[in-house]
Amino acid sequence: MVPCGAVLWRRLLRKRWVLGVVFGLSLVYFITSTFKQEERMVRDRNLLQVQEHEQPIMWKVKFSSGNSSQLSNQCRNSVQGKLLITDELGYICERKDLLVNGCCNVNVPSTKLYSCDSCLPNGCCSVYEYCVSCCLQPSKQHLLERFLNRAAIAFQNLFMAVEDHFELCLAKCRTSSQVRHKHMSR
């Protein structure tokens, strides 16, 4: 025997007006969801359009030989490398050769300055740390300025936040499609 509630529910669903109400509520939900999604897309598009394309971007990057906003006996470094680290002076070294102050030990034969070992002439590098070291070369300043001026609208907020040459190279090598991240095996 079928419970009385189930019979009443089936009869109620067979009524055309009930089906009309269900359809109407579904239609209202669909329309409001679509408009909310459109509003979000417009808001996101407006955030990305920070400036017009014709206006040059005023970058805050400072290129200098010292290159650091820190004390001279301290170094910032690329931090994330499992085997290799690049410090803000442009030296690349094995993680085990990193000094307590964050700088690479320049007295170790394997430490290199402005090394582009995994980089092709077109700027494509296979190892992040080599990309950063290569990018820090003073001779690359002109190329970096051109890169900044051609940065995609979506990345303008990121690149406008960098304060100096080192931060720019970290951001460029982390976000550029020219860097193919490979893990070095030993």
Side-chain angles (χ1 to χ4, degrees):
M1 180 156 227
V2 180
C4 188
V7 172
L8 285 175
W9 183 247
R10 282 190 203 146
R11 284 185 184 170
L12 187 62
L13 285 178
R14 288 184 184 156
K15 304 278 184 191
R16 289 181 188 252
W17 67 269
V18 173
L19 293 175
V21 168
V22 170
F23 175 76
L25 290 174
S26 299
L27 184 63
V28 168
Y29 175 77
F30 171 76
I31 291 172
T32 56
S33 295
T34 303
F35 281 126
K36 285 180 184 176
Q37 185 177 9
E38 183 64 29
E39 286 175 11
R40 271 185 257 130
M41 287 174 53
V42 167
R43 209 172 339 130
D44 291 347
R45 231 181 276 131
N46 288 340
L47 284 175
L48 292 177
Q49 294 173 346
V50 176
Q51 323 177 314
E52 292 182 23
H53 295 288
E54 292 84 37
Q55 295 178 332
I57 300 165
M58 300 306 292
W59 303 102
K60 298 189 293 185
V61 178
K62 298 174 199 80
F63 294 98
S64 63
S65 57
N67 200 30
S68 173
S69 58
Q70 307 292 326
L71 297 172
S72 61
N73 62 348
Q74 295 289 316
C75 289
R76 295 173 293 169
N77 59 56
S78 57
V79 180
Q80 70 190 43
K82 185 176 180 182
L83 300 173
L84 297 172
I85 294 286
T86 301
D87 68 21
E88 67 184 307
L89 302 174
Y91 288 99
I92 185 167
C93 61
E94 293 181 22
R95 182 174 274 287
K96 66 180 177 60
D97 297 328
L98 193 65
L99 299 173
V100 189
N101 64 359
C103 299
C104 286
N105 184 350
V106 297
N107 298 322
V108 174
S110 62
T111 298
K112 298 177 183 176
L113 178 63
Y114 305 134
S115 179
C116 301
D117 284 359
S118 77
C119 303
L120 298 174
N122 67 355
C124 186
C125 301
S126 61
V127 179
Y128 173 73
E129 289 76 15
Y130 282 110
C131 176
V132 175
S133 180
C134 190
C135 174
L136 286 169
Q137 288 182 20
S139 62
K140 304 267 185 190
Q141 178 179 344
H142 180 68
L143 293 171
L144 283 171
E145 288 172 345
R146 196 168 43 182
F147 170 79
L148 284 173
N149 288 326
R150 291 182 179 170
I153 297 294
F155 290 117
Q156 281 187 2
N157 291 338
L158 169 69
F159 289 119
M160 290 176 97
V162 301
E163 295 284 338
D164 59 14
H165 191 176
F166 180 66
E167 289 180 8
L168 173 61
C169 288
L170 288 175
K172 178 190 177 294
C173 291
R174 192 173 292 123
T175 59
S176 176
S177 61
Q178 288 184 319
V179 178
R180 294 188 192 110
H181 298 278
K182 290 183 184 175
H183 298 289
M184 292 186 64
S185 58
R186 289 197 180 221

